[in-house]
Amino acid sequence: MDRKQFELGDIVQMKKPHPCGTNAWKIIRMGMDIRIKCTGCDHSVMLPRLEFEKKLKKILQSNATEKATDTNE
């Protein structure tokens, strides 16, 4: 299985939605543990990297594309 590439600042979708109804999370800390923040209610959760990778569904907005558009302006 191909591992998804994610970076600090990416907006990701998890397999299960947050109780507030939003399914978009922003990665705010990376290391052995990953801290993500709900974009709807600003609740943050810290998960071990392996658990995060299992629960990750897809990357909605990459921080790399955001950086590329910023440098073009």
Side-chain angles (χ1 to χ4, degrees):
M1 188 170 147
D2 190 28
R3 291 182 78 166
K4 291 187 170 73
Q5 298 295 317
F6 48 87
E7 297 181 17
L8 193 64
D10 286 355
I11 307 293
V12 297
Q13 181 180 3
M14 304 305 277
K15 290 183 180 175
K16 292 186 179 180
H18 191 247
C20 75
T22 307
N23 202 10
W25 297 80
K26 183 173 185 176
I27 300 174
I28 57 173
R29 181 181 183 274
M30 288 182 59
M32 282 300 292
D33 296 324
I34 308 262
R35 183 177 292 269
I36 54 177
K37 182 167 70 169
C38 178
T39 58
C41 65
D42 287 339
H43 178 80
S44 68
V45 177
M46 186 175 280
L47 300 167
R49 182 178 283 268
L50 291 175
E51 184 179 342
F52 173 79
E53 290 176 355
K54 287 178 189 175
K55 292 182 177 185
L56 176 66
K57 187 172 184 179
K58 66 180 177 181
I59 299 170
L60 299 174
Q61 182 180 358
S62 177
N63 194 22
T65 58
E66 206 172 274
K67 288 179 185 175
T69 56
D70 288 345
T71 56
N72 292 337
E73 293 177 2

